[in-house]
Amino acid sequence: MSEKLRVGILGATGMVGQRFISLLENHPWFEVVTVAASARSAGKTYEEAVGGRWKMDTPMPEAVKKLVVMNVSEVEKVASTVDFVFSAVDMSKEEIKAIEEEYAKTETPVVSNNSAHRWTPDVPMVVPEINPQHFEVIKYQKERLGTTRGFVAVKPNCSIQSYAPVLTAWKEFEPYEVVATTYQAISGAGKTFKDWPEMVENIIPYIGGEEEKSEMEPLRLWGEIKDGQIVPAKEPVITCQCVRVPVLNGHTAAVFVKFRKKPTKEQLIEKLVNFKGVPQELELPSAPKQFIQYMEEENRPQVKADVDYERGMGISVGRLREDKVYDFKFIGLSHNTVRGAAGGAVLCAETLKAQGYITKK
Ligand SMILES: NC(=O)c1ccc[n+]([C@@H]2O[C@H](COP(=O)([O-])OP(=O)(O)OC[C@H]3O[C@@H](n4cnc5c(N)ncnc54)[C@H](OP(=O)(O)O)[C@@H]3O)[C@@H](O)[C@H]2O)c1
């Protein structure tokens, strides 16, 4: 039997599900053995179920083409085939919350891309370079669920990945007020230009629920575990506008920051390029070697040139300069469906495996 951990993907036929399939092709630790989706796809081969909906640049991996799609709702059946699952199903928030906990209760860890559990007090929401210590809350969650190895862990929203790591790198200068505008790619809505022609040459100044997530989720990343729950930090206060732009992949953020201990530009750059965390120390398979790159050129980072930096797992920062109203301003860029979605979840799962939370059943 393979030594790799057996993985199932819930919502495997969707855009994020497809990204999981692509990223896990030839993964050294994880092997996709089960794909699950709605009743519409169940019973078909993965290739048939996806049909013309394959949205990745790389071809569908041979190893998954003939897998027969299972029904996400048949929890025991799906769970019996795997060591853990990634979740990327599109259902109502309440349904997702319930079904992810059902999987956990079958002693199957769930690493989720969905927002449903991001504010469940004993569910860790983790960027492994920022707050891997939050995985310690899993022991309290297991007590609540009555499990020994099953739990739910989540990753945060794609929009915050272009600035939350940057603000974390600058923590010792005590940023206390942040204004951000995000310029978000259409793949964040699971779309391409073919299926969203309205977005060609267009800007839409509204993304439902995104501004609240962009303002609040970083505070949870910077929170602490108290009495078995994650208690969010209170600062920095973040105000955000989220705009949909005609870009396929890559969320850009334009950010202004005020600091209590005002640093120099050189100090800020030094903190960015030296910022690393557990994934770099453990050399996890999906970890970017250099998490944040600083670009000196005035016209960088650019989506087309820089979105795939470190295979989409790194953050590109540029145009850092002093500001008349705030202390500093900068531009950040991250890949929304890699670091911001499936890749971020894969890195969480690698951290969980390395720390002994995910094992063979
Ligand atoms: N796209 C992004 O960049 C991004 C980023 C962060 C978070 N998310 C979140 O991730 C989730 C998936 O997004 P997506 O863009 O991949 O969506 P998607 O392309 O619409 O895919 C949805 C997936 O969920 C399955 N599904 C739908 N209804 C279901 C049901 N009732 N029971 C079981 N499975 C069902 C679909 O299966 P069928 O093919 O059988 O219908 C498909 O596999 C969403 O909750 C989204 O909000 C997306």
Side-chain angles (χ1 to χ4, degrees), residues 170-177 235 257-265 267-268 271 327-328:
W170 293 342
K171 210 170 162 195
E172 70 177 81
F173 305 118
E174 298 179 17
Y176 69 97
E177 215 176 282
E235 277 197 344
V257 192
K258 274 188 188 168
F259 294 97
R260 285 226 162 71
K261 297 179 179 163
K262 193 176 169 185
T264 63
K265 180 178 169 179
Q267 284 175 311
L268 291 173
K271 291 291 172 198
D327 289 328
F328 278 93

Side-chain angles (χ1 to χ4, degrees), residues 27 29 37 82 84 149 168 208 214 304 326:
H27 192 281
W29 297 354
V82 297
F84 77 102
R149 74 185 292 286
T168 307
S214 304
K304 275 199 173 173
Y326 281 71

Side-chain angles (χ1 to χ4, degrees), residues 1-8 10 29-30 33-34 70 74-86 100-110 147-151 353 356-361:
M1 204 166 83
S2 165
E3 283 307 300
K4 290 187 186 180
L5 293 174
R6 299 164 306 157
V7 184
L10 313 180
W29 297 354
F30 307 145
V33 296
T34 297
M70 296 175 88
E74 294 180 11
V75 178
E76 291 283 349
K77 199 169 153 189
V78 174
S80 69
T81 65
V82 297
D83 294 312
F84 77 102
V85 292
F86 287 110
E100 291 186 345
E101 287 198 353
E102 271 185 62
Y103 274 89
K105 285 180 183 165
T106 66
E107 302 295 2
T108 306
V110 178
T147 58
T148 53
R149 74 185 292 286
F151 61 86
K353 181 194 178 290
Y357 288 97
I358 300 181
T359 53
K360 265 199 160 317
K361 264 185 186 165

Side-chain angles (χ1 to χ4, degrees), residues 10-17 36-42 49 53 55 71-73 88-91 95-96 113-115 118 155 157-158 187-190 336-337 340-341:
L10 313 180
T13 50
M15 188 162 206
V16 179
S38 75
R40 294 178 291 275
S41 302
R53 292 187 288 162
K55 291 177 180 168
N71 187 335
V72 168
S73 305
V89 280
D90 197 8
M91 298 159 95
E95 284 174 314
I96 294 173
N113 184 66
N114 293 103
S115 62
R118 286 188 197 148
K155 53 147 284 294
N157 200 50
C158 47
S187 58
N336 57 296
T337 65

Side-chain angles (χ1 to χ4, degrees), residues 9-25 32 35-36 46-47 49-61 64 88 190 192 337 342:
I9 297 173
L10 313 180
T13 50
M15 188 162 206
V16 179
Q18 292 175 23
R19 183 66 74 180
F20 275 118
I21 299 272
S22 301
L23 290 175
L24 293 171
E25 188 178 15
V32 177
V35 285
Y46 184 69
E47 193 176 21
V50 173
R53 292 187 288 162
W54 183 254
K55 291 177 180 168
M56 302 297 107
D57 298 332
T58 50
M60 184 184 287
V64 296
T192 62
T337 65

